[in-house]
PDB file of all heavy atoms in Angstrom:
ATOM      1  N   ARG I 601     -27.588  35.089 -26.683  1.00  0.00           N
ATOM      2  CA  ARG I 601     -26.677  34.019 -26.270  1.00  0.00           C
ATOM      3  C   ARG I 601     -25.453  33.976 -27.180  1.00  0.00           C
ATOM      4  O   ARG I 601     -24.311  33.865 -26.704  1.00  0.00           O
ATOM      5  CB  ARG I 601     -27.411  32.685 -26.294  1.00  0.00           C
ATOM      6  CG  ARG I 601     -26.571  31.519 -25.820  1.00  0.00           C
ATOM      7  CD  ARG I 601     -27.406  30.254 -25.682  1.00  0.00           C
ATOM      8  NE  ARG I 601     -26.611  29.174 -25.106  1.00  0.00           N
ATOM      9  CZ  ARG I 601     -27.103  28.007 -24.718  1.00  0.00           C
ATOM     10  NH1 ARG I 601     -28.401  27.769 -24.833  1.00  0.00           N
ATOM     11  NH2 ARG I 601     -26.320  27.081 -24.209  1.00  0.00           N
ATOM     12  N   ILE I 602     -25.676  34.055 -28.493  1.00  0.00           N
ATOM     13  CA  ILE I 602     -24.556  34.063 -29.433  1.00  0.00           C
ATOM     14  C   ILE I 602     -23.690  35.296 -29.208  1.00  0.00           C
ATOM     15  O   ILE I 602     -22.455  35.228 -29.254  1.00  0.00           O
ATOM     16  CB  ILE I 602     -25.074  34.015 -30.880  1.00  0.00           C
ATOM     17  CG1 ILE I 602     -25.839  32.712 -31.129  1.00  0.00           C
ATOM     18  CG2 ILE I 602     -23.925  34.138 -31.874  1.00  0.00           C
ATOM     19  CD1 ILE I 602     -26.504  32.633 -32.494  1.00  0.00           C
ATOM     20  N   GLY I 603     -24.325  36.441 -28.955  1.00  0.00           N
ATOM     21  CA  GLY I 603     -23.589  37.677 -28.721  1.00  0.00           C
ATOM     22  C   GLY I 603     -22.672  37.581 -27.512  1.00  0.00           C
ATOM     23  O   GLY I 603     -21.533  38.058 -27.539  1.00  0.00           O
ATOM     24  N   VAL I 604     -23.149  36.943 -26.441  1.00  0.00           N
ATOM     25  CA  VAL I 604     -22.300  36.749 -25.255  1.00  0.00           C
ATOM     26  C   VAL I 604     -21.107  35.871 -25.615  1.00  0.00           C
ATOM     27  O   VAL I 604     -19.974  36.132 -25.175  1.00  0.00           O
ATOM     28  CB  VAL I 604     -23.117  36.108 -24.109  1.00  0.00           C
ATOM     29  CG1 VAL I 604     -22.203  35.714 -22.953  1.00  0.00           C
ATOM     30  CG2 VAL I 604     -24.181  37.071 -23.618  1.00  0.00           C
ATOM     31  N   GLY I 605     -21.331  34.847 -26.425  1.00  0.00           N
ATOM     32  CA  GLY I 605     -20.232  33.987 -26.855  1.00  0.00           C
ATOM     33  C   GLY I 605     -19.186  34.743 -27.646  1.00  0.00           C
ATOM     34  O   GLY I 605     -17.979  34.560 -27.445  1.00  0.00           O
ATOM     35  N   ILE I 606     -19.629  35.619 -28.552  1.00  0.00           N
ATOM     36  CA  ILE I 606     -18.689  36.429 -29.345  1.00  0.00           C
ATOM     37  C   ILE I 606     -17.879  37.348 -28.428  1.00  0.00           C
ATOM     38  O   ILE I 606     -16.661  37.491 -28.574  1.00  0.00           O
ATOM     39  CB  ILE I 606     -19.446  37.235 -30.408  1.00  0.00           C
ATOM     40  CG1 ILE I 606     -20.065  36.292 -31.452  1.00  0.00           C
ATOM     41  CG2 ILE I 606     -18.516  38.237 -31.095  1.00  0.00           C
ATOM     42  CD1 ILE I 606     -20.912  36.986 -32.485  1.00  0.00           C
ATOM     43  N   PHE I 607     -18.559  37.975 -27.461  1.00  0.00           N
ATOM     44  CA  PHE I 607     -17.866  38.872 -26.526  1.00  0.00           C
ATOM     45  C   PHE I 607     -16.823  38.107 -25.712  1.00  0.00           C
ATOM     46  O   PHE I 607     -15.699  38.591 -25.500  1.00  0.00           O
ATOM     47  CB  PHE I 607     -18.880  39.537 -25.593  1.00  0.00           C
ATOM     48  CG  PHE I 607     -18.248  40.338 -24.489  1.00  0.00           C
ATOM     49  CD1 PHE I 607     -17.710  41.593 -24.745  1.00  0.00           C
ATOM     50  CD2 PHE I 607     -18.181  39.833 -23.196  1.00  0.00           C
ATOM     51  CE1 PHE I 607     -17.110  42.325 -23.736  1.00  0.00           C
ATOM     52  CE2 PHE I 607     -17.600  40.551 -22.176  1.00  0.00           C
ATOM     53  CZ  PHE I 607     -17.054  41.805 -22.448  1.00  0.00           C
ATOM     54  N   LEU I 608     -17.158  36.908 -25.257  1.00  0.00           N
ATOM     55  CA  LEU I 608     -16.226  36.128 -24.444  1.00  0.00           C
ATOM     56  C   LEU I 608     -15.003  35.684 -25.246  1.00  0.00           C
ATOM     57  O   LEU I 608     -13.906  35.525 -24.679  1.00  0.00           O
ATOM     58  CB  LEU I 608     -16.937  34.911 -23.848  1.00  0.00           C
ATOM     59  CG  LEU I 608     -17.931  35.206 -22.721  1.00  0.00           C
ATOM     60  CD1 LEU I 608     -18.624  33.930 -22.264  1.00  0.00           C
ATOM     61  CD2 LEU I 608     -17.225  35.867 -21.539  1.00  0.00           C
ATOM     62  N   THR I 609     -15.156  35.472 -26.559  1.00  0.00           N
ATOM     63  CA  THR I 609     -13.978  35.119 -27.363  1.00  0.00           C
ATOM     64  C   THR I 609     -13.016  36.297 -27.460  1.00  0.00           C
ATOM     65  O   THR I 609     -11.798  36.104 -27.537  1.00  0.00           O
ATOM     66  CB  THR I 609     -14.379  34.668 -28.775  1.00  0.00           C
ATOM     67  OG1 THR I 609     -15.153  35.693 -29.425  1.00  0.00           O
ATOM     68  CG2 THR I 609     -15.181  33.383 -28.733  1.00  0.00           C
ATOM     69  N   ILE I 610     -13.549  37.508 -27.458  1.00  0.00           N
ATOM     70  CA  ILE I 610     -12.687  38.697 -27.457  1.00  0.00           C
ATOM     71  C   ILE I 610     -11.875  38.735 -26.165  1.00  0.00           C
ATOM     72  O   ILE I 610     -10.649  38.948 -26.182  1.00  0.00           O
ATOM     73  CB  ILE I 610     -13.521  39.982 -27.612  1.00  0.00           C
ATOM     74  CG1 ILE I 610     -14.273  39.980 -28.953  1.00  0.00           C
ATOM     75  CG2 ILE I 610     -12.637  41.228 -27.503  1.00  0.00           C
ATOM     76  CD1 ILE I 610     -15.247  41.129 -29.103  1.00  0.00           C
ATOM     77  N   VAL I 611     -12.559  38.500 -25.041  1.00  0.00           N
ATOM     78  CA  VAL I 611     -11.872  38.462 -23.746  1.00  0.00           C
ATOM     79  C   VAL I 611     -10.844  37.335 -23.735  1.00  0.00           C
ATOM     80  O   VAL I 611      -9.724  37.493 -23.211  1.00  0.00           O
ATOM     81  CB  VAL I 611     -12.890  38.289 -22.601  1.00  0.00           C
ATOM     82  CG1 VAL I 611     -12.179  38.197 -21.254  1.00  0.00           C
ATOM     83  CG2 VAL I 611     -13.893  39.428 -22.589  1.00  0.00           C
ATOM     84  N   THR I 612     -11.207  36.199 -24.315  1.00  0.00           N
ATOM     85  CA  THR I 612     -10.295  35.056 -24.373  1.00  0.00           C
ATOM     86  C   THR I 612      -9.010  35.409 -25.097  1.00  0.00           C
ATOM     87  O   THR I 612      -7.903  35.067 -24.645  1.00  0.00           O
ATOM     88  CB  THR I 612     -10.972  33.865 -25.076  1.00  0.00           C
ATOM     89  OG1 THR I 612     -12.144  33.482 -24.356  1.00  0.00           O
ATOM     90  CG2 THR I 612     -10.029  32.680 -25.171  1.00  0.00           C
ATOM     91  N   MET I 613      -9.123  36.098 -26.226  1.00  0.00           N
ATOM     92  CA  MET I 613      -7.939  36.465 -26.997  1.00  0.00           C
ATOM     93  C   MET I 613      -7.073  37.476 -26.256  1.00  0.00           C
ATOM     94  O   MET I 613      -5.840  37.419 -26.316  1.00  0.00           O
ATOM     95  CB  MET I 613      -8.363  37.026 -28.357  1.00  0.00           C
ATOM     96  CG  MET I 613      -8.857  35.985 -29.347  1.00  0.00           C
ATOM     97  SD  MET I 613      -7.558  34.820 -29.870  1.00  0.00           S
ATOM     98  CE  MET I 613      -7.864  33.455 -28.766  1.00  0.00           C
ATOM     99  N   ILE I 614      -7.688  38.391 -25.542  1.00  0.00           N
ATOM    100  CA  ILE I 614      -6.914  39.360 -24.764  1.00  0.00           C
ATOM    101  C   ILE I 614      -6.158  38.660 -23.646  1.00  0.00           C
ATOM    102  O   ILE I 614      -4.960  38.906 -23.429  1.00  0.00           O
ATOM    103  CB  ILE I 614      -7.841  40.455 -24.192  1.00  0.00           C
ATOM    104  CG1 ILE I 614      -8.437  41.288 -25.334  1.00  0.00           C
ATOM    105  CG2 ILE I 614      -7.083  41.360 -23.224  1.00  0.00           C
ATOM    106  CD1 ILE I 614      -9.460  42.306 -24.882  1.00  0.00           C
TER     107      ILE I 614
END
Side-chain angles (χ1 to χ4, degrees):
R601 183 172 185 172
I602 297 174
V604 172
I606 293 176
F607 173 77
L608 288 177
T609 57
I610 298 173
V611 178
T612 300
M613 286 294 97
I614 294 175

